[in-house]
Amino acid sequence: MKHLPPKEAWNYLQQHPDALFVDVRMEIESLYVGRPPGVVNVPWYEYPDLLPDPAKFAETVSREASSKAQPVLLICRSGQRTLAAAQALEAAGFSEVINVMHGFEGELDEQFRRSTLTGWRFDGLPWEQM
């Protein structure tokens, strides 16, 4: 697994238009909080169970990917869910898996807010919201 900060991940996506960009957050989270354009939503877990199913996740990403050699970039809220999701993809045979560090919203600041220290949105990268 590779780790790229958001700006480097955006540059990678521009240089590799064949890459699959996957948002592993719950669909409602992705829609209402915002998401990068062109991302495919494949939740690592979903409401109400909130329990990951690594095999199901890898199978769903496999259906979206052209092959297991296709580069896959993963983003979540803070860069934590993507670590386990990336491991599941590697275990399923994906050869180029990239974790977007800090995720879409980044870490919490001293006031328990996100998007103030790090993250896709903090870095001013393109995003959309429902």
Side-chain angles (χ1 to χ4, degrees), residues 15-29:
Q15 295 168 8
H16 299 89
D18 62 318
L20 178 61
F21 194 15
V22 177
D23 186 338
V24 307
R25 296 175 294 164
M26 292 181 289
E27 183 178 27
I28 195 78
E29 186 180 7

Side-chain angles (χ1 to χ4, degrees), residues 8-17 120 126:
E8 288 182 33
W10 175 250
N11 289 336
Y12 183 94
L13 287 164
Q14 301 315 296
Q15 295 168 8
H16 299 89
W120 186 274

Side-chain angles (χ1 to χ4, degrees), residues 75-120:
I75 193 167
C76 65
R77 180 183 61 195
S78 65
Q80 296 304 306
R81 270 178 272 187
T82 52
L83 297 174
Q87 290 173 343
L89 292 182
E90 289 178 331
F94 283 84
S95 58
E96 190 168 355
V97 182
I98 301 168
N99 170 46
V100 179
M101 298 167 57
H102 314 297
F104 185 75
E105 295 182 84
E107 291 80 17
L108 291 169
D109 67 13
E110 292 177 1
Q111 288 77 41
F112 302 101
R113 294 177 300 177
R114 295 189 187 275
S115 300
T116 62
L117 301 172
T118 58
W120 186 274

